Amino acid sequence: MPSSTSATSFSHHFYTILLLSVLLLAFFPGAFHYISTLPFAYLYPSSSQQPNSNNHQSSSSAGTPPPPTMSWFQKQFTLPPRSRGSYLITDHIESALPEIKGYKVGLLNLFVQHTSCALTLNENWDDDVRADMSDALDRVAPEAGPKGQELYRHSAEGPDDMPAHIKSALIGASVTIPISNGKLATGTWQGIWYLEFRQVRHTRRVVATIQGEKA
């Protein structure tokens, strides 16, 4: 029959081990999980339980086309020298930018780098529309008052200087046109206009920027 001293010693060691186990579980829960699952790792290897993620992804994506790649293109060109008036330049733009044909879908932005002319979209059939537009803008921003009086402080380059800046601000320096299947997707009666507001001929620079999906 075991002595009481041996029983007390066993009880002391048992509670010591139990206390250490509780502390180990409290401070290192991952270690307890690792120890408890270690035997199963040898019996059931993980490679047999989980399929290869790369193989799964490649099989699920098989037959799916890659996403379209967006392309950027930028180019500068000049417009033919013109004096004051409104001009249809759609053909000139298409000739200067053969790269448009290489885009399935996209946007063309045209930006004129000057402050006394403008770009816009408008009627492409009747020349009278462009003449009427120039006349209307002259009435909006005339060079002088009804009695010939000066209207503006700024006239460094002549009486048409400040009116040209006003007209440019009203119409704008840029246009953006959609591209569809290699062509400008303008309406039947739409054309690209260049409006020159100075009396003397000027050569104007235009920056063209294309963003879209290549054909």
Side-chain angles (χ1 to χ4, degrees):
M1 180 176 182
S3 63
S4 60
T5 302
S6 299
T8 301
S9 177
F10 173 79
S11 176
H12 175 73
H13 290 304
F14 174 77
Y15 284 112
T16 300
I17 294 173
L18 180 61
L19 178 60
L20 291 175
S21 300
V22 171
L23 292 175
L24 180 64
L25 178 62
F27 290 101
F28 306 100
F32 178 79
H33 178 268
Y34 174 76
I35 294 173
S36 63
T37 58
L38 186 61
F40 298 99
Y42 289 99
L43 295 176
Y44 306 100
S46 58
S47 60
S48 63
Q49 290 180 347
Q50 298 180 354
N52 189 298
S53 59
N54 292 331
N55 293 337
H56 175 70
Q57 292 176 358
S58 61
S59 61
S60 64
S61 61
T64 303
T69 301
M70 300 301 290
S71 173
W72 286 88
F73 171 80
Q74 192 170 79
K75 182 179 183 179
Q76 184 186 80
F77 59 91
T78 59
L79 297 175
R82 300 286 189 178
S83 57
R84 185 162 61 183
S86 301
Y87 304 95
L88 185 65
I89 60 168
T90 307
D91 291 343
H92 182 81
I93 297 299
E94 292 175 339
S95 176
L97 294 171
E99 294 82 5
I100 294 173
K101 298 177 181 179
Y103 285 83
K104 179 180 179 182
V105 63
L107 293 172
L108 167 65
N109 178 266
L110 300 172
F111 176 79
V112 63
Q113 296 179 302
H114 305 275
T115 61
S116 55
C117 61
L119 296 174
T120 190
L121 289 172
N122 217 304
E123 166 72 51
N124 67 358
W125 180 68
D126 190 352
D127 295 345
D128 288 342
V129 177
R130 296 192 291 278
D132 287 340
M133 182 66 73
S134 296
D135 293 343
L137 291 172
D138 287 341
R139 291 192 295 271
V140 171
E143 293 184 4
K147 297 181 180 181
Q149 68 271 32
E150 293 185 0
L151 299 176
Y152 314 105
R153 300 176 182 85
H154 176 71
S155 59
E157 298 179 10
D160 65 339
D161 192 358
M162 189 60 210
H165 295 315
I166 295 173
K167 297 170 187 176
S168 177
L170 292 174
I171 302 300
S174 67
V175 292
T176 299
I177 307 160
I179 298 172
S180 180
N181 295 319
K183 297 181 180 180
L184 296 178
T186 51
T188 302
W189 307 112
Q190 281 184 320
I192 305 171
W193 283 23
Y194 155 48
L195 297 93
E196 178 57 61
F197 303 130
R198 302 302 304 275
Q199 290 282 16
V200 179
R201 288 175 176 263
H202 286 75
T203 299
R204 304 300 194 177
R205 297 184 308 276
V206 175
V207 175
T209 304
I210 301 176
Q211 179 194 18
E213 177 187 349
K214 287 291 192 72

